Amino acid sequence: MSTDAPAADQAATPARPSRRRIGLLPRILIAIVLGILLGMVMPVPIARIFTTFNGIFSAFLGFLIPLVIVGLVTPAIGELGRGAGKLLGITAGIAYLSTILSGFFALAVSVLVLPRLLSGASVGSLDNPEDSALAPYFPLEIPPVFGVMTALVLAFCIGIGLTLVKPGALHEGFDQFRTIIEWTISAVLIPLLPLYIFGMFLGLTMNGQIWTVITTLLGVVLLVFAMTIVVLLIQYTIAGIAVGRNPLRMLWTMLPAYATALGTSSSAATIPVTLECTRRNGVPDAIASFTVPLCATIHLAGSTLKITTFAIAIMIMTGMELNVMTLIGFVLMLGVTMVAAPGVPGGAIMAATGILASMLGFGEAAVGLMIASYIAIDSFGTATNVTGDGALAAIISRLAPKRMLEHAEEVEAAEGRHIGADGSVAI
């Protein structure tokens, strides 16, 4: 019997087309629509099944949040100080500064504009479904190992300590712990988010709060979009002054990167386009090749702007007090959290849920609404993030001494983990 027969049969058999997976955003939108529609007709006993799931999911999320902070922030701080060179420090510092300044800009505009924009729009305390008639069939408590603030302090202490010792087993252990946390987020939390969002909107509809929420947030979405444009204009004005080029022409050159990110909601898919656009703006190849992939994971100005704005909007809608000093502290801590956010779709908002709950006092329903609002316009935030990376690359090329250009390729190789073999740096 010829051994070539099976091969021939395989060649003759047409390859099955791979199934195209539905993206996270479409699944979230479908969940929102179904939650609203079914909330009008679904019997309470059936609705309580989804409320029970939401209670379990929320309890697990509360348990996981401190571990997410330790698992992501600790190795991120440790890596930023592992002697990778001054260029890394300059890039990380400028990325953090750009991120928090975007947050402060959003804070100032939101405090001034949103009270007027949302005047008369109130949903009370944004009741959690399980606190109303849609009580779960059984409660499940999963106490966290430690609190969120304890996790933050622990992450800072160990992260800074990792910068002072030689790489070894402890570094490797936290790298592996980060891998576990990122897998849990991408393989467990993110796939279950649509069902969680469905249950939340189902409860809001049956409680009679949904229409106020939707009509109110539409105005906030338009405000967020306008602010992202302003942030990009400011970033490129500074970059244009730094390198002596026309900022509007530089921003126009980056439009392909903006469009790619808008269409894919993935900074990973946008890296090659962002690199090419950045080089066309006159940034040296060594600086662009190092800065763009690195900033894809640590520069999240658009994400910070969105989270800050929607957080303040929800606080106003639910009648929470706007304490400016608390909000300033929130933005500063959010900037650190964004640097350590995992490179998966929705990873930024998942990493931010801890400080939303601990610093701003958000409950389950408010956090769920934040997640849905964030992902609904995720592509605009991603486009702002990656387009701003081009401006930061231009600024860094001006600030970096010429001798640092010789070390840029070496640093890029040392930080190759940020790019990844599959380009997995999407935010």
Side-chain angles (χ1 to χ4, degrees):
M1 182 180 291
S2 172
T3 57
D4 295 335
D9 292 341
Q10 288 180 355
T13 303
R16 294 182 180 179
S18 58
R19 293 183 179 179
R20 187 174 181 179
R21 296 185 61 185
I22 301 177
L24 178 61
L25 175 57
R27 283 183 284 151
I28 291 291
L29 295 178
I30 292 172
I32 292 174
V33 173
L34 288 178
I36 295 174
L37 295 178
L38 294 180
M40 301 177 183
V41 297
M42 183 176 290
V44 171
I46 297 178
R48 290 180 63 188
I49 296 176
F50 297 99
T51 305
T52 303
F53 167 80
N54 275 24
I56 297 173
F57 183 90
S58 180
F60 177 68
L61 183 61
F63 164 80
L64 194 64
I65 283 173
L67 302 180
V68 168
I69 292 173
V70 173
L72 298 180
V73 175
T74 302
I77 295 176
E79 286 179 350
L80 292 179
R82 287 188 191 177
K86 293 182 180 179
L87 187 60
L88 175 60
I90 291 174
T91 305
I94 293 178
Y96 177 72
L97 182 63
S98 174
T99 298
I100 63 171
L101 287 178
S102 177
F104 286 138
F105 169 68
L107 171 60
V109 173
S110 299
V111 170
L112 293 175
V113 175
L114 288 183
R116 298 180 181 180
L117 182 65
L118 305 180
S119 60
S122 175
V123 292
S125 60
L126 199 63
D127 298 329
N128 295 330
E130 59 265 33
D131 295 333
S132 62
L134 297 178
Y137 282 109
F138 59 89
L140 179 65
E141 295 185 4
I142 310 177
V145 180
F146 37 70
V148 171
M149 290 309 299
T150 300
L152 286 168
V153 174
L154 181 63
F156 276 110
C157 290
I158 299 179
I160 294 173
L162 291 177
T163 67
L164 304 176
V165 298
K166 295 181 179 180
L170 189 60
H171 294 81
E172 182 178 353
F174 273 102
D175 287 341
Q176 292 177 345
F177 185 41
R178 172 173 54 192
T179 301
I180 294 173
I181 293 297
E182 290 181 344
W183 179 88
T184 304
I185 291 175
S186 61
V188 180
L189 293 184
I190 298 299
L192 290 176
L193 266 183
L195 185 57
Y196 176 68
I197 297 298
F198 168 79
M200 187 199 67
F201 274 84
L202 180 72
L204 289 174
T205 302
M206 299 184 74
N207 289 338
Q209 299 173 312
I210 187 61
W211 300 116
T212 302
V213 170
I214 291 179
T215 55
T216 300
L217 289 182
L218 286 178
V220 181
V221 168
L222 296 177
L223 178 63
V224 167
F225 176 73
M227 285 195 292
T228 59
I229 301 300
V230 173
V231 165
L232 289 177
L233 289 173
I234 293 174
Q235 289 175 340
Y236 277 89
T237 297
I238 298 174
I241 294 173
V243 299
R245 296 174 63 92
N246 186 320
L248 293 180
R249 186 178 297 274
M250 293 178 67
L251 185 55
W252 179 264
T253 303
M254 295 297 299
L255 279 183
Y258 186 93
T260 302
L262 200 63
T264 63
S265 295
S266 169
S267 58
T270 313
I271 284 179
V273 183
T274 308
L275 271 173
E276 180 62 26
C277 294
T278 302
R279 290 165 180 156
R280 290 180 183 177
N281 275 333
V283 178
D285 183 70
I287 295 294
S289 298
F290 166 74
T291 305
V292 169
L294 176 60
C295 286
T297 58
I298 69 174
H299 179 230
L300 281 76
S303 300
T304 301
L305 184 150
K306 287 194 304 178
I307 293 175
T308 301
T309 304
F310 277 109
I312 295 175
I314 290 175
M315 293 176 72
I316 293 174
M317 291 167 55
T318 56
M320 298 173 64
E321 180 183 358
L322 295 180
N323 188 309
V324 176
M325 295 307 299
T326 300
L327 290 170
I328 290 175
F330 169 77
V331 171
L332 292 172
M333 191 59 66
L334 183 62
V336 176
T337 306
M338 292 298 97
V339 169
V344 295
I349 187 61
M350 296 306 298
T353 53
I355 57 175
L356 284 170
S358 64
M359 299 189 69
L360 300 185
F362 275 33
E364 175 193 337
V367 169
L369 188 58
M370 278 291 302
I371 295 173
S373 303
Y374 178 93
I375 296 178
I377 57 171
D378 185 41
S379 57
F380 289 105
T382 302
T384 304
N385 292 338
V386 301
T387 305
D389 293 345
L392 264 62
I395 296 172
I396 292 167
S397 70
R398 181 66 178 86
L399 294 178
K402 292 183 178 180
R403 58 187 175 85
M404 286 189 178
L405 297 178
E406 301 175 0
H407 301 290
E409 295 295 340
E410 179 182 351
V411 174
E412 179 189 3
E415 291 297 311
R417 187 194 68 79
H418 290 290
I419 307 175
D422 59 351
S424 56
V425 291
I427 295 297

